[in-house]
Amino acid sequence: MSTIAAISTPNAAGGIAVIRISGDNAIAVAKRIFIPFGEKCIDTMEGYTCAYGIAHSGGERIDDCILTVFRSPHSYTGEDIVEISCHGGLFVSKKILRAALKNGAVTAEPGEFTKRAYINGKIDLTQAEAVMDIIAAKSEVELKMAESLREGTVYKAAKKCSERILKLLSGLAAWTDYPDEDIPEVEPKALLAELSKIYNDLSALVSDYDRGRILREGVAAAIVGRPNVGKSTLFNCLSGCNRSIVTDIAGTTRDVVEESINLGDIKLRLSDTAGIRDTDDVIEGIGVEIAWKTVEAAELIIAVFDGSCPLKADDIELIKKIKNKKCIAVINKSDKDTAIEEQILKENFIHLVYISAIDNIGISELESAVKEVFEANPESISMTTAANERQRLCIEGALESVKEALDALKYGEMLDAVNVLLDEAEQKILELTGEKITDVVVDEVFSRFCVGK
Ligand code: GDP
Ligand code: MG
């Protein structure tokens, strides 16, 4: 394999920048562009050791740098790696990279270092995917999930199932291929029991997928309600900035205003919408129409009501329309006397929260309600869970085949059929771990990576 090089730090000025070189010729390339101070020789440097020296291009000094050596196989990629840490100017780091490229290295593709770690058997494909998840993590729980994936929890659990399927397969093969030999007959009852166990263990890898996805990717949430109930005030309160215009003039918000926010552990892609009411104003009418579309697309409706006055016809209309969605009823203006018919709201909503958006009161109760709606309590979510659609589909595929195999057994079909189905399940697990997979899928996985990782 070629020796690759890239700048692994962000494409911006910083304290230091790191140029990473990986491959059989990494040491040779480094020798051509780096001179250690003193007696040190790069050739004899052991893994995990550093040298201080000068990076140069054809003898022309570029910068004083630190060079770190990682020896194969004890490196990120499994190959020899040299990392040069220079002053974090873009010009300096690009000059050193160019020197490396002139002296035998080729430009690394996005994610190619991690791809090599995968190709060289340092990690499986789920662990490679975890690397990107760690980089992309924006909350404690996302990082925890990504770390668990990187440690190989999903890989190990899937691998265990795969080994058990293989054992069943070899038993079946021996029995069907050599019927005349004295091989103990496959006991359908035992087979059924073992397959059921495998089915349960595989199911556990996807059972928390949706709840985990909500913590990772967040929820599309729409704040809706009739004009002047305090939607924009709540939106601004949650987003921590004055994005949405607040006035006591009904029909102020006309467009949908969006912001990504963290409400405790849950990310909300929050939309503030135009107040929903019957209107003759053409522009406001378009706003109301957009509000309804936003309601349709939202995974969570935060329906705001003004607690200081009785429900109006527009409130009742809204209640009717959102009945079948995941909803939280928010009774706003709790700083004023209550005049709203609470009973009607209690009859129509499971989750009811009193807030004063203007005084920032009741927000933690709203946060708890969101958690409840999605059962997204990080403490109760399994960390050994498929982390993306690719992984989920592989596991679901394996589950489907195991389920069919179970049915085949129950209905007394030939063991040949069971054999074929189990083989299909096995292939799906190998696809999950990346042990048997097409280049297209591998390229697709690594195309999401940044250069230098
Ligand atoms: P929207 O039309 O639903 O977006 O409502 P706004 O957020 O624009 O607020 C309408 C009016 O209600 C403004 O005068 C706000 O100051 C007022 N308001 C909003 N929230 C509260 C609250 O919690 N308490 C009180 N007393 N007034 C509020
Ligand atoms: Mg508004």
Side-chain angles (χ1 to χ4, degrees):
M1 253 190 281
S2 56
T3 294
I4 51 172
I7 300 170
S8 283
T9 35
N11 191 16
I16 54 167
V18 175
I19 295 93
R20 195 186 237 176
I21 308 165
S22 176
D24 292 345
N25 291 326
I27 303 285
V29 172
K31 271 176 67 181
R32 290 180 205 131
I33 65 169
F34 186 90
I35 304 167
F37 291 131
E39 301 293 301
K40 249 188 182 155
C41 167
I42 301 177
D43 267 332
T44 54
M45 280 173 70
E46 285 184 20
Y48 308 132
T49 61
C50 303
Y52 180 37
I54 291 172
H56 66 91
S57 179
E60 185 204 336
R61 181 185 176 286
I62 303 175
D63 193 15
D64 283 11
C65 302
I66 300 284
L67 176 141
T68 314
V69 169
F70 303 82
R71 293 282 181 182
S72 169
H74 305 294
S75 73
Y76 183 65
T77 56
E79 304 167 336
D80 280 347
I81 288 186
V82 170
E83 285 182 0
I84 299 174
S85 308
C86 63
H87 289 97
L90 271 181
F91 190 70
V92 177
S93 52
K94 281 187 177 159
K95 242 182 139 168
I96 297 174
L97 174 64
R98 238 175 277 137
L101 298 178
K102 249 194 248 166
N103 283 281
V106 297
T107 311
E109 300 285 325
E112 195 170 356
F113 293 97
T114 310
K115 189 175 180 177
R116 287 192 174 196
Y118 156 67
I119 292 169
N120 293 327
K122 299 282 290 185
I123 50 176
D124 86 309
L125 201 55
T126 65
Q127 290 170 302
E129 287 172 314
V131 172
M132 207 52 223
D133 291 351
I134 289 173
I135 293 173
K138 287 199 183 67
S139 69
E140 201 61 52
V141 57
E142 271 180 282
L143 183 59
K144 223 166 130 188
M145 286 170 145
E147 272 300 342
S148 163
L149 189 66
R150 193 195 56 82
E151 282 166 12
T153 50
V154 170
Y155 169 65
K156 285 176 203 155
K159 201 71 195 150
K160 249 189 207 154
C161 291
S162 136
E163 279 159 12
R164 284 158 68 193
I165 292 174
L166 276 180
K167 211 167 157 194
L168 294 180
L169 275 172
S170 65
L172 281 170
W175 191 71
T176 49
D177 293 351
Y178 308 100
D180 302 331
E181 306 271 323
D182 193 18
I183 292 167
E185 195 170 323
V186 178
E187 168 58 56
K189 243 191 191 160
L191 188 56
L192 203 68
E194 172 66 352
L195 262 187
S196 301
K197 272 192 215 146
I198 292 173
Y199 185 85
N200 289 342
D201 289 355
L202 276 174
S203 299
L205 291 178
V206 284
S207 57
D208 272 353
Y209 179 77
D210 281 333
R211 296 201 298 152
R213 184 184 63 79
I214 278 159
L215 290 179
R216 262 193 320 275
E217 295 169 16
V219 172
I223 301 182
V224 293
R226 68 169 169 78
N228 264 340
V229 292
K231 296 180 296 299
S232 298
T233 308
L234 174 61
F235 179 88
N236 289 343
C237 162
L238 292 175
S239 62
C241 57
N242 282 330
R243 272 291 310 278
S244 226
I245 302 168
V246 173
T247 73
D248 53 7
I249 304 164
T252 303
T253 310
R254 297 179 164 205
D255 243 335
V256 174
V257 186
E258 290 171 333
E259 193 74 50
S260 255
I261 65 144
N262 273 348
L263 191 61
D265 292 312
I266 300 186
K267 259 186 283 183
L268 297 183
R269 299 188 303 280
L270 195 63
S271 306
D272 182 23
T273 62
I276 285 172
R277 64 164 173 177
D278 264 342
T279 174
D280 294 330
D281 182 304
V282 177
I283 301 174
E284 195 191 347
I286 295 171
V288 173
E289 220 171 275
I290 296 172
W292 281 124
K293 286 203 175 121
T294 313
V295 167
E296 258 170 54
E299 293 164 275
L300 172 69
I301 308 293
I302 299 175
V304 184
F305 301 91
D306 184 342
S308 67
C309 58
L311 288 165
K312 296 187 175 171
D314 289 321
D315 291 314
I316 305 290
E317 191 60 24
L318 175 69
I319 293 173
K320 270 193 219 148
K321 285 214 170 143
I322 59 177
K323 236 181 160 172
N324 295 323
K325 305 239 6 162
K326 283 197 164 112
C327 278
I328 296 171
V330 169
I331 303 174
N332 190 28
K333 309 196 185 180
S334 64
D335 50 290
K336 289 184 167 178
D337 288 339
T338 307
I340 200 166
E341 299 85 339
E342 294 164 278
Q343 197 50 37
I344 297 184
L345 292 178
K346 280 181 189 155
E347 281 162 13
N348 283 283
F349 295 98
I350 302 169
H351 304 279
L352 209 72
V353 180
Y354 289 84
I355 68 161
S356 169
I358 218 164
D359 293 334
N360 221 332
I361 289 170
I363 304 305
S364 59
E365 283 77 7
L366 177 58
E367 182 185 319
S368 307
V370 174
K371 259 191 188 176
E372 255 174 57
V373 171
F374 290 98
E375 297 175 61
N377 192 347
E379 284 83 50
S380 73
I381 289 182
S382 162
M383 292 288 146
T384 309
T385 297
N388 55 44
E389 270 304 287
R390 186 195 75 80
Q391 294 179 14
R392 187 186 69 79
L393 285 172
C394 289
I395 298 166
E396 296 280 6
L399 272 170
E400 212 176 288
S401 301
V402 173
K403 174 85 176 52
E404 281 178 40
L406 275 167
D407 287 345
L409 268 177
K410 279 180 200 157
Y411 299 122
E413 281 180 40
M414 301 288 287
L415 288 180
D416 286 12
V418 178
N419 201 34
V420 170
L421 289 163
L422 287 188
D423 192 52
E424 277 173 19
E426 175 65 16
Q427 296 305 317
K428 281 289 169 196
I429 299 177
L430 293 179
E431 215 176 282
L432 168 74
T433 60
E435 287 162 276
K436 218 172 194 182
I437 197 167
T438 64
D439 289 347
V440 181
V441 179
V442 173
D443 289 347
E444 161 75 26
V445 167
F446 288 100
S447 67
R448 296 193 301 126
F449 276 62
C450 38
V451 172
K453 187 64 234 177

